[in-house]
Amino acid sequence: MHGGLRDEGDPPQSGFQFSSTRPLTIAKNEPVGVVDDVLTFILLTIAVSGGDFKSDCFKWWNKAVRLALALELHREDEHCPALMSPCANPLCSCKRDKEDFSLRSAEAREERRRVFWLLYCLDRHLALSFNRVLDIPDSYCQVYDPLPEYIWENLDSIGLEDLPARVFGPSTLVTGTGFFEYFLPLMAILGDIIDLHHKRHHPRLGMVDDSHPVAIISDLLTKCEASIEGSRRGAGHVDHNATLSTPTTIGPSIKDLLCTDTTLPSATQTFPPNNVPAPPPKSRAKDRSRLRLVTAYSTHILHVLHVLLHGKWDAISMLDDDDDWITSPSFNNCASHAIAASQAVSQILESDPELTFMPYLFGIYLLHGSFILLLFADRMPRVGPNQSVELACETIIRAHEKNFRKVLRSTLYSVRGSSPTEWEEHNARRRALSLYRWTKGAKGLAL
């Protein structure tokens, strides 16, 4: 299972140096492994990061990244720069391009791409969760975007010459309800925001004006929001010849992560020549249900991305407001999107009251979308009660995990005059928030 990789904390195996079980190495002296090993490490990382000992996930994450780079998943579609092909480099991608273009090879290469993009998504998710820089920057990614789900699910019935044209890198538009069709675009934009966040903390580059990259990312978010709205409007007339049945479970399984279901084809996508049989009415109802879930979750995460772009990531720094940030235009931008995010949470709870659709991933976006509401609630004693803020806080309390729920609830109690020990409650809230910091050098959710 280790794919030839051993974490530095793992005990050495006896007789390993001279044993026949010693892992072989590839030409670049990297450990041997297969794509399934990378997927195993990814799933272990996701499961551990959602538990009580979140930072333990890096044992598996480091294995996943190292093996993926050793297998050159990030260079799956790299073009040979040489004038003559094949070139003299025995490790060049042009050697692979000379392989037979068959259904089997097409499936294998697409599986490699999808595992890489899953790794890419998780990299951005962990970077936000633990206040880290990206391990897989976009400059590494010489990989085509994943195939549309309706094509991937029916690849054996589609002529390889009929596959749509591919582009490098992920789309930033939501095109369907498959994992790579809604979550990958959001994570691509999140990666840009994370890069900008860490540049702002750089001792020299942080002094450079960032209005231009902020404008670029804002434009990406606007277009992504329009794509989500387009999916929502198209819910009533989805072309079921291009729609596949959904899995019976809501939570993400391996099937859910690598080959999920319903697709809303965009205007630029080309339908396969072979029509997929229309699903029965019961399956179509599941498609509509999943579409509602995807649009609600995507809308919430999108508003949180606005908050991350324009606001502070650290709750205590936000509450202290040493730089008078709450008087700036960016605060108003964050405030409106935080309220909109809470409204999206209300829609999510109607369709998925137990939050089982993204059980290991959703918490960090819920948390960062809530910090602004905590600031509102904390300042209500000075500015007066606000019913919309209280309603938004109550919605978040219904969805949140235990620790932050207590913080937000105690803040509302003190605002309403229900707490006799207001100062003690205030100190308790700060102690709880101080466990998770997103300041320079802090580790986010890692205790």
Side-chain angles (χ1 to χ4, degrees), residues 240 278-288:
H240 292 291
K282 185 176 181 180
S283 179
R284 291 199 293 267
K286 289 182 180 180
D287 293 340
R288 289 191 293 271

Side-chain angles (χ1 to χ4, degrees), residues 284-295:
R284 291 199 293 267
K286 289 182 180 180
D287 293 340
R288 289 191 293 271
S289 175
R290 183 179 177 91
L291 179 60
R292 285 194 297 270
L293 277 174
V294 167
T295 53

Side-chain angles (χ1 to χ4, degrees), residues 148-214:
E149 296 297 334
Y150 68 92
I151 292 181
W152 171 239
E153 288 280 357
N154 297 274
L155 193 60
D156 55 349
S157 62
I158 300 172
L160 298 182
E161 67 280 359
D162 295 321
L163 294 180
R166 311 291 288 275
V167 296
F168 279 119
S171 171
T172 54
L173 302 178
V174 172
T175 58
T177 61
F179 180 83
F180 296 111
E181 294 171 327
Y182 75 90
F183 198 65
L184 177 57
L186 294 169
M187 292 300 99
I189 300 175
L190 174 60
D192 295 341
I193 296 173
I194 290 170
D195 282 336
L196 181 60
H197 168 75
H198 289 288
K199 187 185 81 67
R200 287 168 173 168
H201 286 167
H202 193 280
R204 293 171 297 280
L205 300 181
M207 296 181 288
V208 178
D209 178 53
D210 61 8
S211 58
H212 185 59
V214 168

Side-chain angles (χ1 to χ4, degrees), residues 312-331:
K312 295 183 178 181
W313 291 21
D314 185 68
I316 289 184
S317 299
M318 193 183 299
L319 292 172
D320 291 341
D321 193 32
D322 293 333
D323 55 358
D324 206 26
W325 173 67
I326 64 171
T327 62
S328 67
S330 61
F331 172 77

Side-chain angles (χ1 to χ4, degrees), residues 206-431:
M207 296 181 288
V208 178
D209 178 53
D210 61 8
S211 58
H212 185 59
V214 168
I216 292 175
I217 298 173
S218 296
D219 184 60
L220 292 176
L221 289 171
T222 300
K223 292 177 179 177
C224 185
E225 184 176 7
S227 69
I228 296 173
E229 185 60 31
S231 298
R232 183 184 289 110
R233 286 197 303 268
H237 45 83
V238 177
D239 185 348
H240 292 291
N241 284 333
T243 302
L244 301 174
S245 60
T246 55
T248 55
T249 58
I250 294 180
S253 61
I254 296 178
K255 175 77 171 176
D256 221 352
L257 293 173
L258 292 182
C259 48
T260 42
D261 29 87
T262 308
T263 298
L264 293 174
S266 66
T268 58
Q269 288 178 333
T270 304
F271 284 92
N274 303 76
N275 287 333
V276 181
K282 185 176 181 180
S283 179
R284 291 199 293 267
K286 289 182 180 180
D287 293 340
R288 289 191 293 271
S289 175
R290 183 179 177 91
L291 179 60
R292 285 194 297 270
L293 277 174
V294 167
T295 53
Y297 274 92
S298 299
T299 299
H300 177 270
I301 294 175
L302 184 82
H303 287 301
V304 173
L305 295 185
H306 277 284
V307 172
L308 293 172
L309 176 62
H310 297 286
K312 295 183 178 181
W313 291 21
D314 185 68
I316 289 184
S317 299
M318 193 183 299
L319 292 172
D320 291 341
D321 193 32
D322 293 333
D323 55 358
D324 206 26
W325 173 67
I326 64 171
T327 62
S328 67
S330 61
F331 172 77
N332 294 330
N333 202 329
C334 287
S336 61
H337 284 288
I339 296 295
S342 71
Q343 294 169 349
V345 171
S346 180
Q347 296 174 3
I348 289 171
L349 291 173
E350 290 179 4
S351 302
D352 185 18
E354 299 299 324
L355 300 180
T356 56
F357 185 67
M358 297 173 62
Y360 295 105
L361 302 176
F362 187 58
I364 187 62
Y365 309 102
L366 191 63
L367 181 67
H368 275 286
S370 307
F371 285 157
I372 290 282
L373 300 179
L374 179 62
L375 175 62
F376 283 153
D378 188 69
R379 289 180 176 265
M380 271 199 289
R382 287 171 254 177
V383 300
N386 186 303
Q387 187 174 3
S388 62
V389 171
E390 290 190 35
L391 181 61
C393 290
E394 291 289 356
T395 300
I396 296 299
I397 286 170
R398 288 169 55 201
H400 238 299
E401 63 181 22
K402 181 171 62 175
N403 288 344
F404 190 76
R405 181 189 301 167
K406 288 182 178 179
V407 172
L408 199 53
R409 174 65 74 189
S410 68
T411 304
L412 283 181
Y413 281 164
S414 64
V415 168
R416 295 166 178 167
S418 304
S419 175
T421 56
E422 183 176 338
W423 182 247
E424 293 180 8
E425 292 280 0
H426 174 77
N427 289 335
R429 288 196 296 270
R430 290 187 68 90
R431 283 196 299 271

